[in-house]
Structure formats: structure tokens, C-alpha cells
Amino acid sequence: MSDLGVEVAVKPIVAIVLLAAGMATRLGPNGGHKLLAEFDGIPLVRRSAVTASNSHAESVTVVVGHRQDDIRKALSDLQLNIVANRDYASGMASSLVIGFASAEANGADGVLVMLADMPGVTSSDLNRLITAFQDGKGASIVRAVSQGKRGNPVILPRSLNDAVLRLKGDVGARYLIKTSGLPVIEVEIGDAAQIDVDTPEAIIAAGGIPAES
């Protein structure tokens, strides 16, 4: 309540968890790390982190694992929270658990789960998702779509935190969205919602230069 007795609406707070711990197995045994591929001269993981940092999110937590020294070096001068997932080889669930358990994410009304290998996602896209979550009073799941096709990023409300912390194996947010029973707000962001770069060919097609092994 304000001093005049008028209730002031407080916008739900959104934190970003940027997943950057994966092993990039689809690049093959001699392939370089996909997150170190360069787009406009910038390592992809740094590009994604800057995109996240320039959004309206309250904080950005990056989960690292595979080749984390190289990933940390690419992020060295950015104002980020970086947490390590020692169990990264077990699959995406462990990275979600580590990210959601971080103090920054745990205190938010919603967590925007962002994959670090999606070069087309912009800060404006993230802001549209955050606005949709806030307009929904922080009670709905928000999912990016491309021409109606489900994609990423997604925002999960605080009510799903406990469910996230129980995830195991190579299970991501899609499972929770399917089983939560919560309303889902879909936000059209175009092709960016579907484009990830899991192969050298995909990196080149998206305008990047694959990193050397």
C-alpha cells in the first residue's frame, strides 16, 4: 500500500538461468565446442550472456560444466553469476537443478530458462517473454514459439521450483510444461525460437564460424 492508501502493483521478478554446461556431443569427437563458435567475432556463449544481461531480467546465472575454464574465460569481464554443474554429463536436468537452486534464481517469481546455443534470440525477444509473464501475474508458464511451433526460451513460475529440483536425467522444461497443469502463454518470436546450433553445419547456416577443437 502507498501512503495514500492506494495499492501499488509490484511486477513479478524474473531471473535468467543460461544453460551452458552441455557436452555438445553432436559436433563429433574432433569438433570444437559449439558455445565457443564465433558469431560476429564473439563467442556464442558470450553473445548469449550479453543478450541475457541486456534484457529486463533481474539477474543472469550461467550454469557451466563441460570445458568450463574456456567458457568462464569467454565470460570473464561480464557481470554474471556463474555456477558449476559437476554432474553435467548426466543431462540437462542437473543443470536446471543447479541453476534454480542458485540464490538469484531461487528468490525470483519466475525463471527464464535460456539455452546458450540459440544465436537468433535477442534481448527484445526476452523482454517480450518477461512482459507476458508479468502481465500474467507470475502465475503462468510462458513459452516462445515460432509460427505456433513450441520452442525456447521458456519462463517457469516459482510454483514449479520444487518440481524442477526433483528432475533427473536428460529431462528439460518441456516435461514440466506438459505435466504442470498450469496455463501456458505462447509468445511468437519467429525463427529464433527454433534455431539452435548443435552441428558445424548448423553453426555455419546460422552465420557463425565453428571453433577449433
Side-chain angles (χ1 to χ4, degrees):
M1 303 285 286
S2 72
D3 293 339
L4 298 177
V6 178
E7 186 171 345
V8 178
V10 178
K11 290 184 178 180
I13 293 172
V14 175
I16 291 178
V17 168
L18 180 65
L19 301 182
M23 296 176 67
T25 54
R26 289 176 62 187
L27 288 179
N30 299 316
H33 197 311
K34 64 181 176 181
L35 298 185
L36 299 176
E38 291 196 351
F39 286 79
D40 299 321
I42 301 170
L44 177 54
V45 68
R46 182 180 179 89
R47 175 189 174 108
S48 297
V50 170
T51 294
S53 297
N54 287 340
S55 76
H56 295 156
E58 189 76 9
S59 64
V60 179
T61 297
V62 185
V63 183
V64 299
H66 179 57
R67 289 185 62 177
Q68 66 168 288
D69 289 346
D70 293 325
I71 298 297
R72 287 176 183 271
K73 184 177 179 181
L75 303 174
S76 61
D77 59 338
L78 301 178
Q79 296 299 309
L80 304 163
N81 311 302
I82 300 178
V83 294
N85 174 15
R86 288 186 244 178
D87 195 29
Y88 63 86
S90 68
M92 184 182 292
S94 60
S95 289
L96 285 170
V97 170
I98 292 291
F100 272 68
S102 69
E104 293 76 17
N106 195 41
D109 298 304
V111 175
L112 189 156
V113 180
M114 182 178 176
L115 308 181
D117 65 349
M118 300 185 72
V121 174
T122 66
S123 300
S124 177
D125 294 332
L126 300 180
N127 288 341
R128 290 173 64 194
L129 295 169
I130 291 169
T131 296
F133 180 77
Q134 292 172 334
D135 289 346
K137 311 301 182 187
S140 299
I141 294 167
V142 175
R143 175 172 57 203
V145 298
S146 174
Q147 297 181 11
K149 294 181 180 179
R150 301 169 183 174
N152 286 292
V154 301
I155 301 179
L156 302 179
R158 187 202 292 252
S159 61
L160 290 180
N161 278 21
D162 288 344
V164 171
L165 297 178
R166 292 194 297 268
L167 290 176
K168 296 183 182 298
D170 198 23
V171 177
R174 183 175 298 178
Y175 169 79
L176 290 180
I177 294 171
K178 184 177 179 181
T179 60
S180 71
L182 293 176
V184 178
I185 300 171
E186 296 188 336
V187 177
E188 176 67 48
I189 67 168
D191 292 343
Q194 292 280 326
I195 296 175
D196 57 16
V197 289
D198 284 336
T199 66
E201 293 77 16
I203 290 171
I204 294 168
I209 300 173
E212 297 181 0
S213 58

